Amino acid sequence: MLRIAVPNKGSLSETAAEMLSEAGYAGRRDPRALNLSDPRNDVEFFFLRPRDIATYVGSGALDVGITGRDLLLDSGSTAVEIASLDFGASTFRFAGTAGRFSTLEDLEGVRVATSYPGLVGDFLARNGVNADLVTLDGAVESAVKLGVADAVADVVSTGSTLRAQGLEIFGPVILESSAVLISAKSGMAGITTLQRRLQGVLVARQYVLMDYDLPVTLIEAASAITPGLESPTVSPLRDREWVAVRVMVPREDTNQVMDRLYELGARAILVSPIHAARI
C-alpha cells in the first residue's frame, strides 16, 4: 500500500481532505483516527501534525505527504516538492519597529524572532546576513514589544496584525508558500497515480465545460475566444449552417466568455461543472 501523510489539523487539513475525497480516495469519519486504510485504492493515510510530515516522508517511513512548502523547507528534510496543490497560500516577510529597518542588511547582528528558524536561517545565510534567531512557537509579532527580539519573520497577509504591534514590513519576500505534495522516493506507481488524480481535481476546480451552437462561418472567430486546452470539439448539427461546439474554459472567465460569444453570434450557450479530469 502507498502510505500517505495528511495534515490532521490547521489551515491545510480541511482542504487537503476535500481534495483527496474529490480524487476518489476514502475519507476518515472519526476525526480522532490516526490512520485510515483504503484498500480499494491500495493506499493508507496517516494523519499527522503538518510540521512533522516532511520529517516522516523524508525518513522513508511514509511514501508521500501533503504539507506546506514553508514547513518542508524549514524541516531540513530530504523530501522534495513534486507538485504544487494550489491552496494554503502564504507569504513570509520581515517586520520590525516602524522606521528602524529598511533593508535586509539592517538585520546584521540583531535578534530576529520566528517560528521557522530553518527557513529564515537559510534565507539570511544565502544573503550573507548574520542575525541571532530567536525560535518561538507562534505569536512572534509580540516578540519585539516584549523585548525578546528586535525584528520578526512571519507569515503576512494584510499586515494588520503586525501594524497593531507597531511593526512595519521591510526587505524582500522570504518565501511564497502553498500546500505541496512531497516525497523522498521516485518512480512509485502509486505516487504517479495520486499526483495525476490531484492534478485532475485542480483542473476540475479551475475550468468548466462550455457548449454552444454557432454558425459555421464563425468557427474561426469563436475559436479565438475559446481555444480550449488543445482545440474545441466541433460537431455538425441537422442544420448544416450551424455546428455545436464544446470546450473547456477557465472558470473565472465564464461570464465574460459567454458575453463575447453571444455578441459574436453564438446561441444556446451552456456551462457545466467538471467533477473530475485527466489532462
Side-chain angles (χ1 to χ4, degrees), residues 53-268:
I53 287 176
T55 299
Y56 279 104
V57 174
S59 71
L62 298 177
D63 303 312
V64 65
I66 297 174
T67 190
R69 182 179 295 119
D70 52 344
L71 296 173
L72 170 63
L73 296 177
D74 189 60
S75 71
S77 168
T78 56
V80 297
E81 175 182 336
I82 58 176
S84 174
L85 300 179
D86 199 30
F87 71 89
S90 59
T91 302
F92 283 75
R93 299 292 301 270
F94 291 105
T97 304
R100 178 174 177 182
F101 303 97
S102 59
T103 68
L104 185 63
E105 289 70 25
D106 293 336
L107 291 174
E108 182 70 30
V110 307
R111 299 169 300 167
V112 179
T114 182
S115 299
Y116 296 81
L119 171 64
V120 176
D122 287 347
F123 181 85
L124 291 171
R126 289 197 306 272
N127 287 276
V129 176
N130 295 305
D132 181 14
L133 294 184
V134 179
T135 303
L136 298 175
D137 188 13
V140 300
E141 59 271 5
S142 301
V144 174
K145 180 175 289 189
L146 294 175
V148 174
D150 306 296
V152 302
D154 200 15
V155 176
V156 174
S157 52
T158 64
S160 58
T161 302
L162 294 172
R163 288 193 295 271
Q165 296 297 319
L167 305 178
E168 66 178 6
I169 298 168
F170 68 92
V173 172
I174 302 169
L175 178 71
E176 296 285 359
S177 183
S178 66
V180 293
L181 191 67
I182 66 171
S183 181
K185 302 178 181 180
S186 60
M188 291 185 66
I191 294 178
T192 302
T193 299
L194 172 65
Q195 187 174 350
R196 188 185 302 118
R197 286 193 183 189
L198 293 176
Q199 180 60 37
V201 172
L202 293 177
V203 171
R205 291 180 172 185
Q206 294 167 0
Y207 288 86
V208 295
L209 274 180
M210 187 172 291
D211 293 274
Y212 57 90
D213 294 343
L214 185 78
V216 173
T217 55
L218 298 177
I219 290 177
E220 291 302 320
S223 295
I225 298 173
T226 57
L229 297 187
E230 283 89 18
S231 178
T233 299
V234 180
S235 305
L237 294 176
R238 182 175 181 182
D239 183 342
R240 295 185 179 182
E241 299 298 318
W242 285 73
V243 293
V245 180
R246 166 166 283 194
V247 67
M248 290 175 63
V249 173
R251 184 181 295 272
E252 63 182 6
D253 299 335
T254 300
N255 285 288
Q256 291 85 348
V257 170
M258 293 176 75
D259 291 339
R260 293 177 64 190
L261 287 173
Y262 193 88
E263 291 168 2
L264 178 66
R267 294 296 182 265

